[in-house]
Amino acid sequence: MTTKDRAFLKGLAMNITPVLSLGKSSLTPEFVKAADEALTARELIKINVLKNCEDDINEIAHTLAERSRSEVVQVIGRKIVLYKRNNENIKIYFPGEKKVNDKRK
């Protein structure tokens, strides 16, 4: 992912609300599965890390990205933004990228 792609995704992430909250139990297999399913459906998700989670947020973000085969867009405060392209149903197109499923002429 290029820095321009990352900046584009950061801009999109500003307008979305967190879809998951990570609490005291930290990264469980169930949480990773829920994050992976959300990434498949949305491609870009924001996760809220609650104050009762004592683990390092950057470490959580990179571990979660590795386990869900996604990329960390940013970690800001107690929020994590992840991106994973769904090649079967692309929802996010980067600037200058040709829309494969676009039927308009």
Side-chain angles (χ1 to χ4, degrees):
M1 178 183 311
T2 67
T3 54
K4 285 185 179 184
D5 293 345
R6 191 173 308 280
F8 175 72
L9 291 173
K10 284 180 183 181
L12 292 177
M14 288 175 58
N15 300 320
I16 62 173
T17 58
V19 293
L20 296 169
S21 293
L22 185 64
K24 185 175 17 176
S25 59
S26 195
L27 284 180
T28 62
E30 294 81 15
F31 186 87
V32 174
K33 183 179 180 203
D36 192 36
E37 289 172 356
L39 282 163
T40 300
R42 300 171 183 243
E43 292 188 332
L44 184 70
I45 63 168
K46 189 183 287 187
I47 299 169
N48 186 29
V49 181
L50 301 176
K51 290 181 181 179
N52 64 356
C53 182
E54 298 176 4
D55 297 334
D56 179 58
I57 297 173
N58 286 312
E59 188 176 312
I60 289 171
H62 291 286
T63 303
L64 183 57
E66 181 182 313
R67 291 181 185 172
S68 64
R69 296 171 312 282
S70 62
E71 296 187 54
V72 177
V73 175
Q74 74 177 21
V75 176
I76 184 162
R78 301 193 70 81
K79 305 269 191 278
I80 299 169
V81 179
L82 298 176
Y83 171 75
K84 179 179 175 183
R85 174 158 259 178
N86 181 353
N87 289 322
E88 295 167 7
N89 186 15
I90 299 172
K91 297 188 187 284
I92 298 173
Y93 289 93
F94 294 101
E97 183 178 20
K98 185 178 179 185
K99 295 184 180 183
V100 177
N101 299 334
D102 195 1
K103 294 183 174 115
R104 294 177 282 157
K105 294 194 180 194

XYZ file of all heavy atoms in Angstrom:
834
model
N 0.845 -1.169 0.000
C 0.000 0.000 0.000
C 0.896 1.240 0.000
O 1.796 1.349 0.818
C -0.899 -0.037 1.243
C -1.777 1.165 1.367
S -2.816 1.246 2.841
C -3.583 -0.321 2.896
N 0.611 2.140 -0.905
C 1.419 3.358 -0.995
C 0.945 4.378 0.038
O -0.123 4.234 0.629
C 1.308 3.990 -2.402
O -0.033 4.459 -2.580
C 1.669 2.996 -3.490
N 1.741 5.416 0.229
C 1.358 6.457 1.183
C 0.122 7.211 0.696
O -0.697 7.638 1.507
C 2.515 7.441 1.428
O 2.960 7.965 0.180
C 3.660 6.770 2.137
N -0.027 7.347 -0.618
C -1.232 7.997 -1.161
C -2.473 7.151 -0.887
O -3.527 7.679 -0.550
C -1.088 8.244 -2.660
C -0.170 9.390 -2.987
C -0.163 9.666 -4.468
C 0.742 10.848 -4.775
N 0.701 11.217 -6.178
N -2.329 5.836 -1.052
C -3.446 4.931 -0.754
C -3.818 5.020 0.724
O -4.993 5.085 1.083
C -3.089 3.482 -1.100
C -2.924 3.253 -2.588
O -3.347 4.122 -3.379
O -2.368 2.200 -2.952
N -2.810 5.025 1.590
C -3.043 5.102 3.025
C -3.734 6.423 3.390
O -4.675 6.449 4.180
C -1.723 4.959 3.775
C -1.881 4.755 5.263
C -0.554 4.451 5.942
N 0.192 3.368 5.352
C -0.039 2.081 5.550
N -1.013 1.721 6.333
N 0.704 1.159 4.976
N -3.292 7.520 2.789
C -3.909 8.828 3.047
C -5.361 8.837 2.583
O -6.239 9.396 3.258
C -3.118 9.933 2.357
N -5.641 8.224 1.441
C -7.008 8.129 0.934
C -7.892 7.353 1.906
O -9.007 7.770 2.229
C -6.995 7.459 -0.447
C -8.361 7.198 -1.010
C -9.149 8.244 -1.463
C -8.856 5.911 -1.099
C -10.413 8.007 -1.994
C -10.112 5.660 -1.615
C -10.897 6.719 -2.067
N -7.384 6.222 2.412
C -8.146 5.407 3.350
C -8.357 6.128 4.683
O -9.413 6.006 5.300
C -7.449 4.059 3.578
C -7.454 3.115 2.377
C -6.589 1.895 2.654
C -8.869 2.699 2.020
N -7.364 6.885 5.124
C -7.509 7.666 6.354
C -8.651 8.675 6.207
O -9.430 8.887 7.129
C -6.218 8.409 6.693
C -5.143 7.525 7.266
C -3.902 8.370 7.561
C -2.772 7.522 8.077
N -1.578 8.332 8.396
N -8.738 9.287 5.042
C -9.821 10.235 4.771
C -11.184 9.558 4.819
O -12.143 10.112 5.357
N -11.277 8.361 4.261
C -12.538 7.622 4.307
C -12.878 7.199 5.736
O -14.040 7.215 6.140
C -12.459 6.371 3.421
C -12.371 6.571 1.922
C -12.230 5.221 1.222
C -13.590 7.307 1.399
N -11.857 6.842 6.494
C -12.076 6.352 7.856
C -12.588 7.435 8.794
O -13.221 7.126 9.806
C -10.784 5.753 8.403
N -12.333 8.681 8.465
C -12.800 9.776 9.320
C -14.320 9.770 9.448
O -14.864 10.174 10.473
C -12.346 11.123 8.762
C -10.879 11.391 8.917
S -10.367 12.927 8.128
C -11.405 14.117 8.940
N -15.000 9.299 8.429
C -16.462 9.371 8.382
C -17.169 8.090 8.804
O -18.385 8.020 8.703
C -16.915 9.753 6.975
C -16.367 11.098 6.559
O -16.309 12.017 7.355
N -15.938 11.195 5.315
N -16.433 7.072 9.226
C -17.092 5.830 9.633
C -17.040 5.689 11.153
O -16.144 6.208 11.807
C -16.489 4.579 8.949
C -15.021 4.371 9.318
C -16.652 4.643 7.455
C -14.441 3.064 8.803
N -18.028 4.992 11.674
C -18.071 4.747 13.113
C -17.459 3.380 13.400
O -17.469 2.494 12.531
C -19.523 4.771 13.636
O -20.277 3.792 12.926
C -20.146 6.139 13.452
N -16.927 3.182 14.601
C -16.349 1.874 14.942
C -17.403 0.770 14.856
O -18.532 0.942 15.326
C -15.862 2.062 16.377
C -15.661 3.531 16.522
C -16.714 4.166 15.663
N -17.031 -0.349 14.257
C -17.952 -1.473 14.135
C -17.704 -2.519 15.217
O -18.565 -3.356 15.466
C -17.880 -2.147 12.742
C -18.383 -1.211 11.672
C -16.499 -2.630 12.427
N -16.534 -2.474 15.844
C -16.193 -3.416 16.906
C -15.551 -2.667 18.060
O -14.920 -1.634 17.858
C -15.205 -4.476 16.393
C -15.691 -5.406 15.291
C -14.524 -6.205 14.728
C -16.744 -6.345 15.821
N -15.707 -3.236 19.263
C -15.041 -2.695 20.441
C -14.242 -3.802 21.101
O -14.753 -4.907 21.311
C -16.063 -2.146 21.429
O -16.701 -1.013 20.903
N -13.015 -3.506 21.419
C -12.111 -4.477 22.027
C -11.977 -4.140 23.499
O -11.586 -3.026 23.852
C -10.752 -4.418 21.325
C -9.712 -5.437 21.731
C -10.183 -6.835 21.369
C -8.403 -5.142 21.034
N -12.297 -5.098 24.367
C -12.294 -4.844 25.799
C -11.229 -5.624 26.546
O -10.158 -5.922 26.017
N -11.561 -5.955 27.781
C -10.621 -6.573 28.704
C -10.078 -7.912 28.204
O -8.920 -8.231 28.434
C -11.314 -6.775 30.059
C -10.400 -7.286 31.122
C -10.971 -7.397 32.525
C -12.438 -7.370 32.697
N -12.861 -7.571 34.092
N -10.889 -8.679 27.511
C -10.450 -10.005 27.055
C -9.453 -9.926 25.903
O -8.874 -10.936 25.517
C -11.645 -10.855 26.659
O -12.365 -10.228 25.625
N -9.252 -8.747 25.341
C -8.290 -8.482 24.267
C -8.579 -9.333 23.041
O -9.730 -9.556 22.709
C -6.864 -8.676 24.773
O -5.953 -8.100 23.860
N -7.545 -9.813 22.361
C -7.728 -10.521 21.088
C -8.057 -11.989 21.310
O -7.188 -12.794 21.591
C -6.457 -10.425 20.238
C -6.211 -9.111 19.545
C -4.928 -9.180 18.741
C -7.357 -8.735 18.654
N -9.304 -12.325 21.158
C -9.739 -13.719 21.230
C -9.953 -14.213 19.803
O -10.112 -13.396 18.883
C -11.060 -13.848 22.018
O -12.072 -13.110 21.319
C -10.905 -13.315 23.440
N -9.963 -15.518 19.599
C -10.244 -16.036 18.246
C -11.601 -15.554 17.709
O -11.739 -15.305 16.519
C -10.233 -17.555 18.427
C -9.357 -17.777 19.622
C -9.589 -16.594 20.515
N -12.574 -15.395 18.601
C -13.894 -14.930 18.185
C -13.838 -13.487 17.697
O -14.491 -13.125 16.717
C -14.901 -15.045 19.338
C -15.204 -16.467 19.758
C -14.156 -17.069 20.687
O -13.314 -16.321 21.253
O -14.157 -18.299 20.836
N -13.038 -12.648 18.385
C -12.912 -11.255 17.971
C -12.221 -11.168 16.614
O -12.630 -10.393 15.751
C -12.134 -10.438 19.014
C -12.114 -8.970 18.691
C -13.146 -8.150 19.114
C -11.086 -8.408 17.951
C -13.155 -6.801 18.804
C -11.086 -7.066 17.630
C -12.122 -6.262 18.063
N -11.179 -11.969 16.421
C -10.459 -11.976 15.139
C -11.409 -12.406 14.019
O -11.416 -11.810 12.935
C -9.221 -12.892 15.200
C -8.567 -13.016 13.831
C -8.216 -12.368 16.219
N -12.242 -13.411 14.292
C -13.202 -13.875 13.289
C -14.218 -12.779 12.965
O -14.541 -12.556 11.797
C -13.919 -15.129 13.784
C -14.865 -15.713 12.770
C -15.545 -16.961 13.263
C -16.463 -17.475 12.173
N -17.513 -18.310 12.673
N -14.706 -12.088 13.992
C -15.665 -11.004 13.776
C -15.038 -9.874 12.962
O -15.668 -9.316 12.057
C -16.173 -10.476 15.112
N -13.786 -9.546 13.253
C -13.086 -8.504 12.502
C -12.886 -8.935 11.053
O -13.072 -8.131 10.132
C -11.739 -8.195 13.151
N -12.537 -10.185 10.834
C -12.327 -10.695 9.476
C -13.630 -10.654 8.680
O -13.634 -10.262 7.508
C -11.769 -12.111 9.533
C -11.250 -12.587 8.193
O -10.692 -11.761 7.441
O -11.390 -13.783 7.892
N -14.733 -11.024 9.319
C -16.035 -10.978 8.641
C -16.427 -9.533 8.307
O -16.955 -9.263 7.231
C -17.104 -11.637 9.506
C -16.958 -13.141 9.588
C -17.892 -13.776 10.598
O -18.627 -13.048 11.311
O -17.891 -15.017 10.683
N -16.170 -8.622 9.237
C -16.477 -7.209 8.989
C -15.619 -6.663 7.853
O -16.094 -5.889 7.014
C -16.270 -6.389 10.254
N -14.356 -7.061 7.798
C -13.465 -6.625 6.719
C -13.930 -7.157 5.370
O -13.865 -6.460 4.360
C -12.030 -7.071 6.995
C -11.271 -6.246 8.015
C -10.055 -7.001 8.520
C -10.855 -4.916 7.414
N -14.393 -8.391 5.345
C -14.891 -8.976 4.100
C -16.116 -8.213 3.608
O -16.248 -7.953 2.414
C -15.231 -10.465 4.305
O -14.037 -11.145 4.717
C -15.745 -11.098 3.022
N -16.976 -7.824 4.527
C -18.205 -7.127 4.144
C -17.963 -5.666 3.787
O -18.591 -5.133 2.886
C -19.219 -7.213 5.284
N -17.029 -5.000 4.485
C -16.875 -3.550 4.341
C -15.560 -3.093 3.730
O -15.450 -1.973 3.276
C -17.004 -2.885 5.713
C -18.327 -3.140 6.374
C -18.275 -2.644 7.805
N -19.500 -2.926 8.501
C -20.315 -2.007 8.981
N -20.020 -0.746 8.855
N -21.412 -2.344 9.602
N -14.530 -3.888 3.803
C -13.159 -3.592 3.362
C -12.409 -2.640 4.293
O -11.215 -2.783 4.473
C -13.102 -3.049 1.936
C -13.484 -4.046 0.891
C -13.233 -3.564 -0.515
O -13.266 -2.335 -0.761
O -12.992 -4.412 -1.382
N -13.072 -1.676 4.878
C -12.430 -0.702 5.767
C -13.235 -0.649 7.062
O -14.430 -0.376 7.029
C -12.398 0.678 5.112
C -11.684 1.783 5.877
C -10.173 1.545 5.886
C -11.975 3.143 5.267
N -12.569 -0.951 8.186
C -13.278 -0.918 9.467
C -12.487 -0.124 10.494
O -11.269 0.011 10.400
C -13.573 -2.333 10.025
C -12.288 -3.100 10.335
C -14.485 -3.101 9.106
C -12.504 -4.365 11.138
N -13.241 0.381 11.447
C -12.647 1.094 12.577
C -13.001 0.307 13.837
O -14.145 -0.126 13.999
C -13.199 2.514 12.666
C -12.486 3.392 13.676
C -13.125 4.768 13.781
C -12.828 5.636 12.590
N -13.308 7.029 12.743
N -12.012 0.126 14.703
C -12.194 -0.619 15.943
C -11.888 0.306 17.108
O -10.866 0.998 17.110
C -11.263 -1.852 15.981
C -11.592 -2.787 14.822
C -11.362 -2.565 17.320
C -10.580 -3.880 14.597
N -12.773 0.288 18.101
C -12.599 1.076 19.306
C -11.958 0.189 20.376
O -12.476 -0.887 20.663
C -13.960 1.595 19.774
C -13.863 2.528 20.937
O -12.863 3.209 21.102
N -14.905 2.572 21.733
N -10.846 0.620 20.956
C -10.201 -0.129 22.038
C -10.621 0.536 23.351
O -10.301 1.697 23.597
C -8.662 -0.137 21.888
C -8.021 -0.937 23.009
C -8.263 -0.706 20.532
N -11.332 -0.221 24.172
C -11.853 0.322 25.422
C -10.730 0.537 26.440
O -9.666 -0.072 26.349
C -12.910 -0.625 25.997
C -14.113 -0.904 25.089
C -15.029 -1.934 25.729
C -14.866 0.372 24.789
N -10.995 1.374 27.422
C -9.981 1.716 28.424
C -9.593 0.538 29.303
O -8.500 0.512 29.853
C -10.469 2.871 29.294
C -10.532 4.173 28.540
C -10.989 5.304 29.430
C -11.050 6.590 28.620
N -11.515 7.717 29.413
N -10.479 -0.463 29.439
C -10.142 -1.605 30.280
C -9.246 -2.623 29.577
O -8.855 -3.618 30.165
C -11.403 -2.278 30.824
C -12.280 -2.871 29.756
O -12.021 -2.734 28.571
N -13.354 -3.517 30.181
N -8.891 -2.378 28.338
C -7.930 -3.221 27.613
C -6.539 -2.689 27.918
O -6.206 -1.557 27.562
C -8.207 -3.191 26.115
S -7.098 -4.254 25.182
N -5.733 -3.499 28.586
C -4.429 -3.038 29.061
C -3.291 -3.311 28.078
O -2.173 -2.890 28.314
C -4.129 -3.670 30.408
C -5.139 -3.267 31.470
C -4.920 -3.953 32.800
O -3.923 -4.692 32.927
O -5.744 -3.744 33.696
N -3.552 -4.022 26.999
C -2.497 -4.338 26.030
C -2.130 -3.110 25.200
O -2.916 -2.166 25.070
C -2.947 -5.473 25.101
C -3.194 -6.767 25.864
O -2.582 -6.946 26.936
O -4.002 -7.575 25.390
N -0.936 -3.133 24.607
C -0.460 -2.047 23.754
C -1.300 -2.001 22.476
O -1.439 -3.019 21.782
C 1.016 -2.252 23.427
C 1.552 -1.168 22.523
O 1.464 0.010 22.908
O 2.052 -1.511 21.424
N -1.841 -0.849 22.171
C -2.761 -0.706 21.038
C -2.060 -0.966 19.706
O -2.618 -1.607 18.813
C -3.439 0.675 21.062
C -4.286 0.789 22.333
C -4.301 0.890 19.841
C -4.885 2.136 22.575
N -0.828 -0.486 19.551
C -0.087 -0.734 18.304
C 0.172 -2.224 18.111
O 0.061 -2.747 16.997
C 1.229 0.035 18.298
C 1.023 1.505 18.081
O 0.295 1.903 17.186
N 1.650 2.328 18.910
N 0.512 -2.910 19.179
C 0.756 -4.349 19.100
C -0.527 -5.089 18.748
O -0.520 -6.016 17.932
C 1.305 -4.836 20.444
C 1.776 -6.269 20.414
C 2.404 -6.668 21.740
O 3.244 -5.905 22.256
O 2.040 -7.748 22.239
N -1.635 -4.680 19.356
C -2.933 -5.284 19.044
C -3.252 -5.090 17.566
O -3.683 -6.026 16.884
C -4.054 -4.649 19.906
C -3.915 -5.078 21.358
C -5.430 -5.026 19.374
C -4.835 -4.325 22.299
N -3.054 -3.876 17.057
C -3.374 -3.571 15.663
C -2.587 -4.459 14.705
O -3.160 -5.027 13.769
C -3.091 -2.103 15.372
N -1.291 -4.597 14.945
C -0.465 -5.382 14.027
C -0.742 -6.886 14.154
O -0.731 -7.594 13.149
C 1.009 -5.048 14.234
C 1.324 -3.655 13.781
N 1.407 -3.303 12.452
C 1.531 -2.512 14.471
C 1.663 -2.018 12.340
N 1.734 -1.506 13.555
N -1.029 -7.344 15.362
C -1.384 -8.752 15.541
C -2.715 -9.057 14.863
O -2.853 -10.067 14.175
C -1.459 -9.099 17.039
O -0.200 -8.794 17.648
C -1.773 -10.565 17.253
N -3.681 -8.176 15.041
C -4.992 -8.362 14.418
C -4.884 -8.322 12.897
O -5.500 -9.122 12.198
C -5.972 -7.308 14.916
C -7.406 -7.398 14.422
C -8.009 -8.757 14.755
C -8.239 -6.293 15.036
N -4.081 -7.409 12.378
C -3.887 -7.324 10.924
C -3.250 -8.599 10.388
O -3.649 -9.112 9.340
C -3.021 -6.120 10.585
N -2.289 -9.128 11.112
C -1.633 -10.363 10.683
C -2.610 -11.532 10.689
O -2.679 -12.303 9.731
C -0.459 -10.659 11.620
C 0.310 -11.906 11.273
C 1.418 -12.158 12.284
O 2.149 -11.216 12.611
O 1.535 -13.312 12.735
N -3.395 -11.642 11.745
C -4.323 -12.769 11.871
C -5.495 -12.672 10.897
O -6.037 -13.690 10.478
C -4.855 -12.856 13.302
C -3.785 -13.278 14.284
C -4.320 -13.392 15.683
N -3.252 -13.692 16.617
C -3.404 -13.690 17.931
N -4.595 -13.413 18.463
N -2.388 -13.973 18.718
N -5.896 -11.467 10.536
C -7.015 -11.300 9.601
C -6.548 -11.052 8.166
O -7.365 -10.795 7.295
C -7.915 -10.140 10.053
O -7.213 -8.923 10.018
N -5.242 -11.100 7.951
C -4.635 -10.873 6.634
C -5.070 -9.532 6.059
O -5.474 -9.423 4.905
C -4.961 -12.026 5.685
C -4.371 -13.352 6.117
C -4.847 -14.537 5.324
N -6.280 -14.656 5.104
C -7.163 -15.096 6.012
N -6.777 -15.437 7.195
N -8.447 -15.188 5.705
N -5.031 -8.501 6.897
C -5.395 -7.151 6.478
C -4.209 -6.220 6.708
O -3.132 -6.674 7.070
C -6.615 -6.670 7.278
O -6.321 -6.616 8.655
N -4.427 -4.930 6.483
C -3.366 -3.940 6.672
C -3.825 -2.872 7.649
O -4.978 -2.457 7.624
C -3.013 -3.283 5.337
C -2.426 -4.264 4.342
C -1.925 -3.563 3.095
O -1.120 -2.638 3.238
O -2.374 -3.953 2.011
N -2.895 -2.435 8.485
C -3.184 -1.353 9.416
C -3.099 -0.043 8.645
O -2.070 0.270 8.061
C -2.187 -1.336 10.594
C -2.455 -0.156 11.506
C -2.234 -2.645 11.360
N -4.192 0.694 8.623
C -4.201 2.003 7.978
C -3.660 3.032 8.952
O -2.776 3.814 8.627
C -5.625 2.390 7.510
C -5.641 3.796 6.951
C -6.126 1.396 6.485
N -4.193 2.998 10.178
C -3.699 3.919 11.192
C -4.150 3.476 12.570
O -5.136 2.759 12.718
C -4.144 5.349 10.938
C -5.588 5.647 11.232
C -5.921 7.121 11.029
O -5.223 7.827 10.323
N -6.979 7.577 11.618
N -3.397 3.906 13.557
C -3.771 3.776 14.957
C -3.727 5.190 15.499
O -2.687 5.842 15.490
C -2.788 2.869 15.729
C -3.151 2.830 17.200
C -2.761 1.477 15.138
N -4.879 5.681 15.929
C -4.936 7.046 16.440
C -5.730 7.020 17.745
O -6.888 6.612 17.760
C -5.522 8.026 15.403
C -5.480 9.438 15.918
C -6.892 7.624 14.965
C -5.614 10.487 14.835
N -5.077 7.405 18.813
C -5.709 7.335 20.121
C -6.029 5.895 20.458
O -5.164 5.034 20.455
N -7.294 5.629 20.728
C -7.742 4.275 21.048
C -8.552 3.681 19.896
O -9.400 2.819 20.094
C -8.535 4.277 22.350
C -7.695 4.813 23.525
C -8.297 4.557 24.856
N -8.276 3.172 25.246
C -7.226 2.541 25.775
N -6.098 3.181 25.943
N -7.309 1.274 26.128
N -8.287 4.145 18.697
C -8.979 3.655 17.500
C -7.964 2.995 16.558
O -6.858 3.492 16.358
C -9.656 4.795 16.751
C -10.613 5.618 17.590
C -11.998 5.072 17.520
C -13.014 6.005 18.130
N -13.131 5.934 19.553
N -8.389 1.884 15.966
C -7.584 1.160 14.986
C -8.381 1.122 13.691
O -9.579 0.829 13.703
C -7.301 -0.287 15.451
C -6.518 -0.295 16.763
C -6.573 -1.074 14.370
C -6.422 -1.662 17.412
N -7.724 1.424 12.580
C -8.373 1.349 11.269
C -7.649 0.281 10.451
O -6.426 0.330 10.296
C -8.328 2.706 10.534
C -8.989 2.594 9.167
C -8.998 3.788 11.364
N -8.415 -0.686 9.951
C -7.871 -1.784 9.151
C -8.508 -1.796 7.769
O -9.672 -1.418 7.604
C -8.139 -3.131 9.823
C -7.517 -3.384 11.189
C -7.969 -4.734 11.728
C -6.008 -3.333 11.121
N -7.740 -2.270 6.783
C -8.230 -2.379 5.407
C -7.863 -3.749 4.855
O -6.747 -4.241 5.046
C -7.602 -1.305 4.525
C -7.894 -1.496 3.051
C -9.142 -1.193 2.527
C -6.933 -1.998 2.190
C -9.421 -1.378 1.185
C -7.193 -2.182 0.848
C -8.449 -1.873 0.353
O -8.714 -2.067 -0.977
N -8.822 -4.345 4.160
C -8.580 -5.610 3.461
C -9.445 -5.624 2.217
O -10.672 -5.544 2.296
C -8.947 -6.789 4.364
C -8.759 -8.145 3.721
C -9.138 -9.222 4.715
C -9.096 -10.597 4.118
N -9.538 -11.611 5.085
N -8.823 -5.691 1.064
C -9.568 -5.691 -0.206
C -10.298 -7.010 -0.391
O -9.754 -8.075 -0.180
C -8.613 -5.465 -1.363
C -9.321 -5.616 -2.711
C -8.606 -4.926 -3.792
N -9.325 -3.672 -3.997
C -8.962 -2.758 -4.864
N -7.882 -2.900 -5.561
N -9.667 -1.666 -5.014
N -11.562 -6.902 -0.789
C -12.375 -8.061 -1.126
C -12.434 -8.122 -2.652
O -13.216 -7.412 -3.273
C -13.774 -7.913 -0.522
C -14.664 -9.090 -0.820
O -14.310 -9.980 -1.592
N -15.837 -9.110 -0.213
N -11.616 -8.959 -3.244
C -11.511 -9.013 -4.710
C -12.783 -9.494 -5.394
O -12.970 -9.262 -6.577
C -10.325 -9.885 -5.114
C -9.008 -9.207 -4.807
O -8.874 -7.995 -4.961
N -8.046 -9.975 -4.335
N -13.658 -10.167 -4.665
C -14.900 -10.647 -5.250
C -15.975 -9.565 -5.288
O -16.885 -9.621 -6.106
C -15.396 -11.866 -4.470
C -14.448 -13.045 -4.601
C -14.739 -14.140 -3.598
O -15.755 -14.038 -2.885
O -13.939 -15.071 -3.526
N -15.872 -8.595 -4.380
C -16.872 -7.526 -4.321
C -16.175 -6.246 -3.855
O -16.300 -5.851 -2.696
C -18.009 -7.914 -3.370
C -19.127 -6.913 -3.382
O -19.214 -6.069 -4.270
N -19.991 -6.978 -2.390
N -15.467 -5.608 -4.759
C -14.682 -4.421 -4.409
C -15.613 -3.256 -4.120
O -16.483 -2.917 -4.918
C -13.700 -4.071 -5.548
C -12.728 -5.229 -5.768
C -12.954 -2.785 -5.229
C -11.844 -5.073 -6.986
N -15.439 -2.646 -2.960
C -16.249 -1.504 -2.558
C -15.455 -0.204 -2.592
O -16.009 0.860 -2.804
C -16.806 -1.727 -1.156
C -17.741 -2.901 -1.065
C -18.396 -2.953 0.285
C -19.195 -4.195 0.479
N -20.420 -4.295 -0.152
N -14.161 -0.290 -2.360
C -13.324 0.911 -2.302
C -12.342 0.892 -3.474
O -11.556 -0.038 -3.620
C -12.552 0.980 -0.969
C -13.525 1.071 0.203
C -11.594 2.165 -0.969
C -12.876 0.985 1.557
N -12.428 1.926 -4.293
C -11.499 2.101 -5.405
C -10.603 3.292 -5.088
O -11.081 4.339 -4.679
C -12.247 2.352 -6.712
C -12.963 1.126 -7.224
C -14.291 0.885 -6.899
C -12.308 0.199 -8.018
C -14.954 -0.241 -7.359
C -12.951 -0.928 -8.487
C -14.277 -1.143 -8.151
O -14.909 -2.266 -8.602
N -9.322 3.110 -5.281
C -8.370 4.181 -5.030
C -8.389 5.178 -6.184
O -8.742 4.818 -7.314
C -6.960 3.602 -4.844
C -6.854 2.770 -3.600
C -6.890 1.386 -3.657
C -6.730 3.368 -2.358
C -6.804 0.618 -2.516
C -6.636 2.616 -1.200
C -6.671 1.238 -1.281
N -8.021 6.431 -5.929
C -8.004 7.441 -7.002
C -7.132 6.973 -8.175
O -6.028 6.484 -7.985
C -7.400 8.668 -6.331
C -7.656 8.479 -4.882
C -7.613 6.993 -4.650
N -7.671 7.092 -9.363
C -6.942 6.688 -10.558
C -7.086 5.218 -10.904
O -6.649 4.779 -11.964
N -7.711 4.457 -10.043
C -7.886 3.029 -10.283
C -9.155 2.806 -11.110
O -10.195 3.396 -10.843
C -8.006 2.303 -8.936
C -8.114 0.816 -9.046
C -8.181 0.149 -7.680
O -8.513 0.827 -6.687
O -7.904 -1.044 -7.625
N -9.056 1.958 -12.112
C -10.198 1.682 -12.975
C -11.191 0.786 -12.249
O -10.829 -0.200 -11.636
C -9.720 0.986 -14.252
C -10.813 0.755 -15.257
C -10.266 0.115 -16.515
C -11.384 -0.111 -17.484
N -10.937 -0.826 -18.671
N -12.466 1.149 -12.325
C -13.513 0.381 -11.695
C -13.862 -0.804 -12.577
O -14.416 -0.634 -13.660
C -14.738 1.236 -11.413
C -14.457 2.329 -10.398
C -15.688 3.101 -10.069
C -15.344 4.176 -9.053
N -16.507 4.921 -8.633
N -13.550 -1.981 -12.110
C -13.749 -3.196 -12.896
C -15.222 -3.510 -13.065
O -15.677 -3.873 -14.147
C -13.046 -4.401 -12.211
C -13.293 -5.686 -12.966
C -11.552 -4.122 -12.093
N -16.023 -3.345 -12.028
C -17.445 -3.707 -12.066
C -18.340 -2.576 -12.532
O -19.543 -2.697 -12.511
C -17.899 -4.173 -10.683
C -17.139 -5.404 -10.230
O -16.664 -6.168 -11.049
N -17.019 -5.572 -8.935
N -17.745 -1.475 -12.947
C -18.529 -0.292 -13.325
C -19.179 -0.541 -14.687
O -18.509 -0.744 -15.683
C -17.627 0.930 -13.366
C -18.416 2.225 -13.381
O -19.659 2.155 -13.337
O -17.789 3.279 -13.437
N -20.507 -0.482 -14.742
C -21.231 -0.724 -15.986
C -21.615 0.559 -16.682
O -22.225 0.549 -17.738
C -22.474 -1.565 -15.686
C -22.089 -2.945 -15.209
C -23.288 -3.809 -14.972
C -22.827 -5.198 -14.655
N -23.097 -5.678 -13.387
N -21.296 1.705 -16.074
C -21.598 2.989 -16.714
C -20.630 3.256 -17.856
O -19.496 2.809 -17.849
C -21.487 4.137 -15.693
C -22.520 4.047 -14.615
C -22.325 5.140 -13.611
N -21.204 4.736 -12.754
C -20.460 5.563 -12.060
N -20.677 6.844 -12.108
N -19.488 5.127 -11.302
N -21.083 4.026 -18.833
C -20.205 4.351 -19.970
C -20.094 5.829 -20.131
O -20.867 6.588 -19.748
C -20.747 3.723 -21.238
C -20.690 2.244 -21.150
C -20.897 1.633 -22.498
C -20.817 0.108 -22.324
N -20.690 -0.591 -23.478
